[in-house]
Amino acid sequence: MELNPPLADWDPAAAIAEAKARIHVAEASCGRAGAGVRLLVATKTWDADAARAVVAAGGTLVGESRMQELAVKGPALAETGAEVHVIGQLQRNKAATAVDFASCIQTVDSLRLAERLSRLASEREKELSVMIQVNVSGEDSKAGVDPDDALALAADVQALPSLTVTGFMTIGLNSSDEGAVRAGYRRLREIRDTALIESERGKYSLRDAWELSMGMSGDLEWAIAEGATMVRVGTAIMGARPAV
Ligand SMILES: *Cc1c(COP(=O)(O)O)cnc(C)c1O
């Protein structure tokens, strides 16, 4: 597997500061100043040196998409003390790598996958955070559970040992149509709001499921305006990913 070294002229501290400033401006311009939207740096295709540099520069929440990459970079990331999340589609036969190196799996979209994660976490006497990935764009190519099934899945997953559902994640519509993209993000927020409200009423036990992981380099402002609590940024920090 080919992983790319950091670009020669890359300044991770400046890139991360710029991304954080963008988040702050976005928060302020939609009335969410001080909301504390977290920055997750998506380090897929970049090597362990690049990932280490990200953490050293203050990017202490890192997302990995491919388990073959996580197996390579995981030990280096663990040494940095970074918080590592899985943000890519996860096959059940790769779930062990995810549980070994990540504290949160954002891409749970089936009960079978959750059951496997639960078993692996229990064996390792670990508590694992998970998010429910929802396909809000309706595109066949996108992973994630149907929005109508998201709450039932979240409730079933929360009932499994060693797992805590901490929120919902989506990959937005890849479009320049602000209204269409934001409608998807709004849908995710409504699912999250229902989870919390119905947990207050005792229908679900999803009180910890407040997180909304949505928004990437190209549209994080729209996601923050719709309530994102975490944005996942790759190219805007790392530079353009070389073709893989
Ligand atoms: C790569 C990736 C990102 C970051 O995308 P950019 O457009 O490079 O910011 C965010 N979320 C997921 C799930 C990704 O795989």
Side-chain angles (χ1 to χ4, degrees), residues 7 34 67 100 107 123 125 143 154 164 194 212 216 218 220 222 233 236:
L7 297 174
M67 293 310 96
D100 284 340
T107 49
E123 281 166 14
E125 297 183 356
T164 301
T194 304
L212 285 176
M216 317 203 297
L220 66 87
W222 297 344
V233 180

Side-chain angles (χ1 to χ4, degrees), residues 1-16:
M1 183 196 33
E2 292 279 316
L3 289 176
N4 300 295
L7 297 174
D9 58 353
W10 180 54
D11 180 343
I16 286 168

Side-chain angles (χ1 to χ4, degrees), residues 42 44 65 87-88 107 169 171 215-218 232-236 241:
K44 63 170 169 276
S65 306
I87 62 170
T107 49
M169 176 272 201
I171 299 172
M216 317 203 297
S217 292
R232 307 179 308 267
V233 180
T235 47
R241 287 182 285 278

Side-chain angles (χ1 to χ4, degrees), residues 219-233:
D219 68 355
L220 66 87
E221 285 81 5
W222 297 344
I224 289 171
E226 295 297 344
T229 63
M230 179 186 294
V231 293
R232 307 179 308 267
V233 180

Side-chain angles (χ1 to χ4, degrees), residues 143-191:
V145 67
D146 187 280
D148 291 335
D149 301 328
L151 284 169
L153 177 60
D156 287 346
V157 172
Q158 181 58 53
L160 297 171
S162 307
L163 300 186
T164 301
V165 178
T166 55
F168 299 86
M169 176 272 201
T170 197
I171 299 172
L173 186 66
N174 184 10
S175 164
S176 57
D177 180 344
E178 177 173 357
V181 174
R182 287 184 58 165
Y185 290 149
R186 200 172 311 131
R187 186 79 204 273
L188 197 72
R189 186 186 67 207
E190 287 164 0
I191 290 167

